[in-house]
Amino acid sequence: MTAPAWLKTTGFYLLVGIIVLQALFPFYYAILTSLEDGQALFEVNYLPAVFDLSNYRSMLSDGVFGKQILNSVFVATVTVIISLFLAITASFALARIRFRGRGLLLLTILSVSMFPQIAVLSGLFELVRAFGLFNSLWSLVFSYMIFTLPFTVWVLTTFMRALPVEIEEAAIMDGASSFTIIRRIFVPLLWPAMVTTGLLAFIQAWNEFLFALTFLSTDSQRTVPVAIALISGRSEFEVPWGNIMAASVIVTLPLVVLVLIFQRRIVSGLTAGAVKG
Amino acid sequence: MASVELNNVCKSFGSVEVLRDVNLSLEGGEFIVFVGPSGCGKSTLLRLIAGLEDISAGELVIDGERMNDVLPARRGISMVFQSYALYPHMTVFENMAFGLEQAKLSPDEIKARIAQAAEMLQISDYMERKPRQLSGGQRQRVAIGRAITRQPRVFLFDEPLSNLDAALRVDTRLEIAALHKRLADTTMIYVTHDQVEAMTLADRIVVLNAGNVEQVGTPLDLYSKPASQFVAGFIGSPRMNFIGGEIAASQGAATFGIRPEHIDLSRKKGQWKGTVRLTEALGSDTFAHVDTETAGMVNVRLAGAERIGEGETVFLTPQPDAIHLFDDAGRPVRKARAA
């Protein structure tokens, strides 16, 4: 006995509806709240009632927040660039060059990402102090590699293994050096995979909270997740929900824009490896 | 005119010995084919010459120069790969230009060389296409074109036809033969497991078996004077009949070899009596598999027009000039006709 077709279709879309609602409602509610002010904030409503940009105005005119966004952009971008560069050169070695302990090395790289952030925090703090990076954005670039590198190295190694060896050998016969082969052959072929992993690394770096809270001490150096968490009202009994929501929406937008720009690349990244000479 | 010499070349991967004491001397401008069953080391030998693998022991000399430690690109060698190995993200033009850019040639020189090669191979019309927009045969031409533009002294082909369909394979084979005529100064080394390709293309053939050179010679040499039972069985299609037992022993050998085309068939009388079990009519020839009383199953070639029914009783007589005798180590035995 099978259910009638209309029941199946309705069931399917009902399920899709629930998933979409669950994923998007928090963000929708944040946007809604960010557009309200004063007493309206505390009235529960699910449809836009007022359209008031004063929260955004107050966040953006507050000099430090703009600087904090730039801090986040800097940290995430530099982390992604350095991670991808190190990962593509490392994955070339790990995928293509036979050496002793290659498997062990790959496992070690993976195990680095195994430790909870809180477990490495105090050790890292000492390192950051020793390098003189405390309260510098470079401390975050440095520490974020802990979670971006294992992931990018593994993904790119897998993709590089899938590329035919003969293409590389043809390039060797053509007189290309290892670095030229990486730059002219592997990077273009792995571009979709690099965009996908780079984007995920960017999101991780953008959202990171604990390291950013610990290694930076002044307001003008902070990145946005910490900055938002530390937004305070005029008195300790007031939580400025309007401002917090406006800031949350502002810092989500760059991610949405990035995903939209690279959307087609991400899809082709998932199906890459279908490169046949 | 680049001569290529291999002196006592050995290659091992770990403890596995792939090539043992290979000695070869190739003259400049020669078309040499390495042939052998899979795993015989022919591709490895080619890769040693290309420089894609290190030589474990021995010496590789090109044009009097020792090449063991010279980078692949500096050996004056081009290679055409089995899977073509075109750069998928580059256009045909960029594919051909890549090697020349690495050699730091001027843009004008690069354009001139590519135009010349493209014209020779008739690929000028799709210089701006990507490899995935080309058919198998076109990709193969681009791969050859990429190799030509580097103006190599030695041209290496690693089973270049094995990814093409049968009809295209014959055409491309003829084109490679024509290419060899046009580039008469270039030494060509060609690896294949297909003995027909070897016979039709080669000036000389090198037969490899389990890491050893079995025989080096012209195609007809190998056909008429095989230096071992292995070569006798490998060269020629369909393969030579090998008969053991009393027939061989009576000639003072362990194995008696005779090709299907060197047996006379008669319905009345002959040396071996047998029954036709199976016939394969190819049009130009017919092959009859005859179950003989004394010699076991024997494959015989008949001229195309001749018809023979399965189940018929026939008599076979090997042509005395075309008998090959081998001892139990597979080495040829001097023919003892009187025995």
Side-chain angles (χ1 to χ4, degrees):
Chain A
M1 218 184 111
T2 53
W6 67 267
L7 195 64
K8 274 189 187 171
T9 322
T10 328
F12 173 72
Y13 283 109
L14 198 67
L15 204 61
V16 170
I18 292 172
I19 293 169
V20 170
L21 191 72
Q22 193 269 337
L24 289 185
F25 181 74
F27 190 58
Y28 169 74
Y29 201 70
I31 296 176
L32 221 56
T33 313
S34 71
L35 293 172
E36 291 164 359
D37 196 25
Q39 208 47 44
L41 273 173
F42 300 99
E43 279 158 30
V44 179
N45 57 316
Y46 298 106
L47 289 171
V50 284
F51 189 82
D52 182 354
L53 289 173
S54 63
N55 288 322
Y56 289 90
R57 228 170 285 129
S58 84
M59 274 320 293
L60 291 174
S61 60
D62 165 20
V64 191
F65 189 63
K67 171 79 168 50
Q68 287 164 340
I69 290 181
L70 289 183
N71 288 344
S72 270
V73 170
F74 172 82
V75 169
T77 311
V78 174
T79 305
V80 166
I81 290 171
I82 299 181
S83 298
L84 284 182
F85 175 78
L86 292 176
I88 195 124
T89 42
S91 64
F92 175 68
L94 290 167
R96 283 294 198 252
I97 300 168
R98 257 182 239 169
F99 56 89
R100 240 175 210 282
R102 179 168 69 166
L104 188 70
L105 189 60
L106 263 173
L107 283 178
T108 313
I109 291 172
L110 188 65
S111 68
V112 167
S113 59
M114 203 172 63
F115 299 103
Q117 272 189 304
I118 193 75
V120 294
L121 188 65
S122 51
L124 257 182
F125 187 76
E126 288 301 315
L127 266 181
V128 165
R129 287 276 296 269
F131 288 144
L133 293 177
F134 184 70
N135 202 26
S136 151
L137 292 177
W138 289 103
S139 67
L140 297 191
V141 171
F142 170 71
S143 55
Y144 288 176
M145 304 259 180
I146 290 177
F147 46 82
T148 58
L149 267 182
F151 157 72
T152 44
V153 168
W154 265 79
V155 172
L156 291 183
T157 303
T158 316
F159 274 96
M160 198 169 289
R161 275 192 186 149
L163 294 180
V165 183
E166 283 195 337
I167 290 182
E168 187 194 337
E169 288 177 342
I172 293 173
M173 295 300 295
D174 271 344
S177 64
S178 294
F179 197 70
T180 310
I181 292 175
I182 292 176
R183 198 171 53 87
R184 298 278 310 269
I185 310 290
F186 283 137
V187 169
L189 289 178
L190 293 176
W191 189 238
M194 289 175 67
V195 168
T196 313
T197 51
L199 201 58
L200 290 172
F202 188 93
I203 293 171
Q204 278 184 310
W206 185 266
N207 290 337
E208 203 283 332
F209 181 82
L210 187 60
F211 289 167
L213 178 69
T214 316
F215 300 149
L216 303 173
S217 59
T218 55
D219 245 7
S220 64
Q221 289 294 85
R222 288 216 167 91
T223 55
V224 279
V226 179
I228 291 173
L230 297 183
I231 290 174
S232 53
R234 276 163 295 234
S235 73
E236 65 180 294
F237 303 107
E238 186 196 345
V239 180
W241 286 116
N243 285 351
I244 290 175
M245 288 304 160
S248 307
V249 172
I250 291 171
V251 302
T252 313
L253 289 181
L255 297 185
V256 175
V257 170
L258 272 181
V259 171
L260 287 179
I261 290 174
F262 290 115
Q263 190 186 19
R264 292 184 55 198
R265 286 290 183 184
I266 295 172
V267 174
S268 65
L270 297 175
T271 56
V275 272
K276 215 181 164 212
Chain B
M1 293 289 225
S3 64
V4 178
E5 262 179 70
L6 295 145
N7 300 324
N8 299 316
V9 168
C10 300
K11 175 67 188 174
S12 336
F13 291 109
S15 58
V16 185
E17 206 175 27
V18 187
L19 292 169
R20 222 170 338 223
D21 276 332
V22 175
N23 284 293
L24 278 177
S25 168
L26 317 183
E27 284 164 34
E30 239 185 333
F31 198 120
I32 294 284
V33 174
F34 294 168
V35 72
S38 40
C40 70
K42 56 190 190 299
S43 281
T44 307
L45 191 55
L46 195 76
R47 292 166 62 82
L48 290 181
I49 297 172
L52 293 171
E53 303 280 355
D54 292 328
I55 296 172
S56 304
E59 214 181 20
L60 167 69
V61 178
I62 298 177
D63 250 354
E65 235 182 298
R66 188 184 142 98
M67 287 288 162
N68 287 38
D69 304 315
V70 177
L71 285 175
R74 302 261 163 79
R75 295 185 182 195
I77 283 176
S78 282
M79 184 156 168
V80 176
F81 291 86
Q82 185 174 355
S83 67
Y84 323 132
L86 299 175
Y87 310 122
H89 57 295
M90 298 186 190
T91 64
V92 170
F93 183 89
E94 287 164 342
N95 260 286
M96 292 167 83
F98 184 74
L100 305 179
E101 284 165 17
Q102 301 307 313
K104 306 241 164 21
L105 292 182
S106 73
D108 290 340
E109 171 79 12
I110 291 177
K111 269 190 201 138
R113 283 203 195 180
I114 291 177
Q116 195 192 354
E119 200 184 327
M120 193 191 285
L121 294 160
Q122 296 158 10
I123 49 176
S124 311
D125 290 345
Y126 29 85
M127 296 307 281
E128 293 312 316
R129 292 205 204 156
K130 297 269 175 73
R132 65 169 175 275
Q133 298 165 300
L134 301 177
S135 70
Q138 289 168 335
R139 288 181 201 177
Q140 182 59 272
R141 284 157 192 263
V142 174
I144 293 174
R146 180 173 68 178
I148 288 178
T149 52
R150 301 188 55 227
Q151 303 184 345
R153 296 185 288 178
V154 184
F155 218 124
L156 308 180
F157 293 92
D158 188 7
E159 309 211 18
L161 305 186
S162 53
N163 282 355
L164 300 177
D165 60 51
L168 203 53
R169 204 175 294 174
V170 175
D171 289 347
T172 313
R173 198 173 76 204
L174 292 173
E175 271 172 39
I176 290 176
L179 185 72
H180 174 55
K181 285 220 176 66
R182 231 171 304 162
L183 306 174
D185 285 352
T186 313
T187 309
M188 298 196 172
I189 305 177
Y190 186 106
V191 163
T192 180
H193 58 264
D194 180 350
Q195 57 99 12
V196 178
E197 271 173 41
M199 297 292 280
T200 50
L201 285 170
D203 292 327
R204 283 198 299 159
I205 297 178
V206 176
V207 183
L208 287 149
N209 181 28
N212 291 310
V213 175
E214 288 274 333
Q215 190 173 5
V216 183
T218 65
L220 288 181
D221 260 355
L222 300 195
Y223 178 80
S224 55
K225 282 176 251 147
S228 68
Q229 188 177 340
F230 176 82
V231 176
F234 197 80
I235 300 291
S237 169
R239 44 184 274 130
M240 186 184 275
N241 295 297
F242 290 120
I243 299 156
E246 223 170 279
I247 291 174
S250 71
Q251 307 257 4
T255 310
F256 176 101
I258 186 78
R259 295 190 190 278
E261 54 270 40
H262 295 144
I263 299 176
D264 295 323
L265 181 141
S266 156
R267 290 189 167 82
K268 298 190 188 79
K269 62 181 171 58
Q271 228 166 306
W272 305 327
K273 186 184 174 198
T275 316
V276 178
R277 289 280 179 237
L278 184 76
T279 59
E280 297 168 301
L282 304 180
S284 59
D285 318 281
T286 299
F287 292 97
H289 295 265
V290 180
D291 191 3
T292 63
E293 289 167 355
T294 47
M297 284 299 277
V298 175
N299 189 3
V300 188
R301 194 191 78 155
L302 308 169
E306 224 171 315
R307 288 275 168 274
I308 194 156
E310 288 172 11
E312 258 186 77
T313 303
V314 293
F315 295 90
L316 306 179
T317 311
Q319 295 169 4
D321 301 345
I323 295 169
H324 300 272
L325 298 173
F326 302 97
D327 64 17
D328 48 12
R331 281 186 297 268
V333 175
R334 190 183 295 278
K335 268 168 224 167
R337 297 246 249 129

Coordinates of all heavy atoms in Angstrom, one line a residue, chain B residues 281-318:
Chain B
A281 N 36.8 -17.4 -40.7 CA 36.9 -16.8 -42.0 C 37.0 -15.3 -41.9 O 36.1 -14.7 -41.4 CB 35.7 -17.2 -42.9
L282 N 38.2 -14.7 -42.3 CA 38.4 -13.3 -42.2 C 38.2 -12.6 -43.6 O 38.4 -11.4 -43.7 CB 39.8 -13.0 -41.7 CG 40.1 -13.6 -40.4 CD1 41.6 -13.2 -40.0 CD2 39.2 -13.2 -39.3
G283 N 37.8 -13.4 -44.6 CA 37.7 -12.8 -45.9 C 38.9 -13.0 -46.7 O 39.0 -13.9 -47.6
S284 N 40.0 -12.3 -46.3 CA 41.3 -12.5 -47.1 C 41.9 -13.8 -46.7 O 42.5 -14.5 -47.6 CB 42.2 -11.4 -46.8 OG 42.5 -11.3 -45.4
D285 N 41.7 -14.3 -45.5 CA 42.3 -15.6 -45.1 C 41.2 -16.3 -44.4 O 40.2 -15.7 -43.9 CB 43.5 -15.5 -44.2 CG 44.4 -14.4 -44.5 OD1 45.2 -14.7 -45.5 OD2 44.4 -13.3 -43.9
T286 N 41.4 -17.6 -44.2 CA 40.6 -18.4 -43.3 C 41.6 -19.2 -42.4 O 42.6 -19.7 -42.9 CB 39.7 -19.4 -44.1 OG1 38.9 -18.7 -44.9 CG2 38.9 -20.3 -43.1
F287 N 41.3 -19.2 -41.1 CA 42.2 -20.0 -40.2 C 41.4 -21.2 -39.8 O 40.2 -21.1 -39.4 CB 42.6 -19.1 -39.0 CG 43.6 -18.1 -39.4 CD1 43.1 -16.8 -39.7 CD2 44.9 -18.3 -39.6 CE1 44.0 -15.8 -40.1 CE2 45.8 -17.3 -40.1 CZ 45.3 -16.1 -40.3
A288 N 42.0 -22.4 -39.9 CA 41.4 -23.6 -39.5 C 42.2 -24.2 -38.3 O 43.4 -24.3 -38.3 CB 41.5 -24.6 -40.6
H289 N 41.4 -24.5 -37.2 CA 42.0 -25.1 -36.1 C 41.8 -26.6 -36.2 O 40.7 -27.1 -36.2 CB 41.4 -24.6 -34.8 CG 41.6 -23.2 -34.6 ND1 42.7 -22.7 -33.8 CD2 41.0 -22.1 -35.0 CE1 42.6 -21.4 -33.8 NE2 41.6 -21.0 -34.6
V290 N 42.9 -27.3 -36.4 CA 42.9 -28.7 -36.7 C 43.4 -29.6 -35.5 O 44.4 -29.3 -35.0 CB 43.8 -29.0 -38.0 CG1 43.7 -30.5 -38.3 CG2 43.3 -28.2 -39.1
D291 N 42.6 -30.5 -35.1 CA 42.9 -31.4 -34.0 C 43.7 -32.6 -34.6 O 43.1 -33.5 -35.2 CB 41.7 -31.9 -33.3 CG 42.0 -32.6 -32.0 OD1 43.2 -32.6 -31.6 OD2 41.1 -33.0 -31.3
T292 N 45.0 -32.6 -34.5 CA 45.8 -33.7 -35.2 C 46.0 -34.8 -34.2 O 46.0 -34.7 -33.0 CB 47.1 -33.1 -35.7 OG1 47.9 -32.7 -34.6 CG2 46.9 -32.0 -36.7
E293 N 46.3 -36.0 -34.8 CA 46.5 -37.2 -34.0 C 47.9 -37.1 -33.2 O 48.0 -37.5 -32.1 CB 46.5 -38.4 -34.8 CG 45.1 -38.8 -35.3 CD 45.1 -39.8 -36.4 OE1 46.2 -40.2 -36.9 OE2 44.0 -40.2 -36.9
T294 N 48.9 -36.6 -33.9 CA 50.2 -36.6 -33.3 C 50.7 -35.3 -32.8 O 51.5 -35.2 -31.9 CB 51.2 -37.1 -34.4 OG1 51.0 -36.4 -35.6 CG2 51.1 -38.6 -34.6
A295 N 50.2 -34.2 -33.4 CA 50.8 -32.8 -33.0 C 49.8 -32.0 -32.2 O 50.1 -30.8 -31.9 CB 51.1 -32.1 -34.3
G296 N 48.7 -32.5 -31.8 CA 47.8 -31.7 -31.0 C 47.0 -30.7 -31.8 O 46.9 -30.9 -33.0
M297 N 46.5 -29.6 -31.2 CA 45.8 -28.6 -32.0 C 46.8 -27.8 -32.8 O 47.7 -27.2 -32.2 CB 45.0 -27.7 -31.0 CG 43.7 -28.3 -30.4 SD 42.5 -28.7 -31.6 CE 41.7 -27.1 -31.9
V298 N 46.5 -27.6 -34.1 CA 47.4 -26.8 -34.9 C 46.5 -25.8 -35.7 O 45.4 -26.2 -36.2 CB 48.1 -27.7 -35.9 CG1 48.9 -26.9 -36.9 CG2 49.0 -28.7 -35.2
N299 N 47.0 -24.6 -35.7 CA 46.2 -23.5 -36.5 C 46.9 -23.4 -37.8 O 48.1 -23.3 -38.0 CB 46.4 -22.2 -35.7 CG 45.5 -21.1 -36.2 OD1 44.7 -21.3 -37.2 ND2 45.6 -19.9 -35.6
V300 N 46.0 -23.4 -38.9 CA 46.5 -23.4 -40.3 C 45.9 -22.2 -41.0 O 44.7 -22.0 -40.9 CB 46.2 -24.7 -41.0 CG1 46.9 -24.7 -42.4 CG2 46.6 -25.9 -40.2
R301 N 46.7 -21.6 -41.9 CA 46.1 -20.5 -42.7 C 45.8 -21.0 -44.1 O 46.6 -21.7 -44.7 CB 47.0 -19.3 -42.8 CG 46.3 -18.1 -43.3 CD 47.3 -17.0 -43.7 NE 47.9 -17.3 -45.0 CZ 48.4 -16.4 -45.8 NH1 48.4 -15.1 -45.4 NH2 48.9 -16.7 -46.9
L302 N 44.6 -20.7 -44.6 CA 44.2 -21.0 -45.9 C 44.0 -19.7 -46.7 O 43.6 -18.8 -46.1 CB 42.9 -21.8 -45.9 CG 42.9 -23.0 -45.0 CD1 41.4 -23.6 -44.9 CD2 43.8 -24.1 -45.6
A303 N 44.2 -19.8 -48.0 CA 44.0 -18.6 -48.8 C 42.5 -18.3 -48.7 O 41.6 -19.2 -48.5 CB 44.4 -18.8 -50.2
G304 N 42.1 -17.0 -48.9 CA 40.7 -16.6 -48.7 C 39.7 -17.4 -49.4 O 38.6 -17.7 -48.8
A305 N 39.9 -17.8 -50.6 CA 38.8 -18.4 -51.4 C 38.6 -19.9 -50.9 O 37.5 -20.4 -51.1 CB 39.2 -18.4 -52.9
E306 N 39.6 -20.5 -50.4 CA 39.4 -21.9 -50.0 C 38.4 -22.1 -48.9 O 38.4 -21.3 -47.9 CB 40.8 -22.4 -49.6 CG 41.1 -23.8 -50.1 CD 42.5 -24.2 -49.9 OE1 43.4 -23.3 -50.0 OE2 42.7 -25.3 -49.4
R307 N 37.5 -23.1 -49.0 CA 36.5 -23.3 -48.0 C 36.8 -24.7 -47.4 O 37.2 -25.6 -48.1 CB 35.1 -23.3 -48.6 CG 34.7 -21.9 -49.0 CD 34.0 -21.2 -47.8 NE 33.8 -19.8 -48.0 CZ 34.8 -18.9 -47.9 NH1 36.0 -19.2 -47.4 NH2 34.5 -17.6 -48.1
I308 N 36.5 -24.8 -46.2 CA 36.7 -26.1 -45.6 C 35.7 -26.3 -44.5 O 35.3 -25.3 -43.8 CB 38.2 -26.3 -45.0 CG1 38.4 -27.7 -44.7 CG2 38.4 -25.4 -43.8 CD1 39.9 -28.0 -44.7
G309 N 35.1 -27.5 -44.4 CA 34.0 -27.7 -43.5 C 34.5 -28.2 -42.1 O 35.5 -28.9 -42.1
E310 N 33.8 -27.8 -41.1 CA 34.2 -28.3 -39.8 C 33.9 -29.7 -39.7 O 32.8 -30.2 -40.2 CB 33.5 -27.4 -38.7 CG 34.1 -26.0 -38.6 CD 33.4 -25.1 -37.7 OE1 32.5 -25.5 -36.9 OE2 33.7 -23.9 -37.8
G311 N 34.8 -30.5 -39.1 CA 34.6 -32.0 -39.0 C 35.3 -32.7 -40.1 O 35.4 -34.0 -40.1
E312 N 35.8 -32.0 -41.1 CA 36.4 -32.7 -42.3 C 37.8 -33.3 -41.8 O 38.4 -32.7 -40.9 CB 36.7 -31.7 -43.4 CG 35.8 -31.8 -44.6 CD 36.2 -30.9 -45.7 OE1 37.2 -31.3 -46.4 OE2 35.6 -29.8 -45.8
T313 N 38.2 -34.4 -42.4 CA 39.5 -34.9 -42.1 C 40.5 -34.4 -43.1 O 40.3 -34.3 -44.3 CB 39.5 -36.5 -42.2 OG1 38.5 -36.9 -41.3 CG2 40.8 -37.1 -41.9
V314 N 41.6 -33.8 -42.6 CA 42.6 -33.2 -43.5 C 44.0 -33.7 -43.1 O 44.2 -34.3 -42.0 CB 42.6 -31.7 -43.4 CG1 41.3 -31.1 -43.9 CG2 42.8 -31.2 -41.9
F315 N 45.0 -33.4 -44.0 CA 46.4 -33.7 -43.7 C 47.2 -32.5 -43.8 O 47.0 -31.6 -44.7 CB 46.9 -34.7 -44.8 CG 46.2 -36.1 -44.7 CD1 45.0 -36.3 -45.5 CD2 46.7 -37.1 -43.9 CE1 44.4 -37.5 -45.4 CE2 46.0 -38.3 -43.8 CZ 44.9 -38.5 -44.6
L316 N 48.1 -32.3 -42.8 CA 48.9 -31.1 -42.8 C 50.4 -31.4 -43.0 O 50.9 -32.5 -42.5 CB 48.8 -30.5 -41.4 CG 47.4 -30.1 -40.9 CD1 47.5 -29.5 -39.5 CD2 46.7 -29.2 -41.8
T317 N 51.1 -30.6 -43.7 CA 52.5 -30.7 -43.9 C 53.2 -29.4 -43.7 O 53.0 -28.4 -44.3 CB 52.8 -31.2 -45.3 OG1 52.0 -32.3 -45.7 CG2 54.3 -31.6 -45.5
P318 N 54.1 -29.3 -42.6 CA 54.8 -28.1 -42.4 C 55.9 -27.9 -43.5 O 56.5 -28.8 -44.0 CB 55.5 -28.3 -41.1 CG 55.6 -29.8 -40.9 CD 54.4 -30.4 -41.7

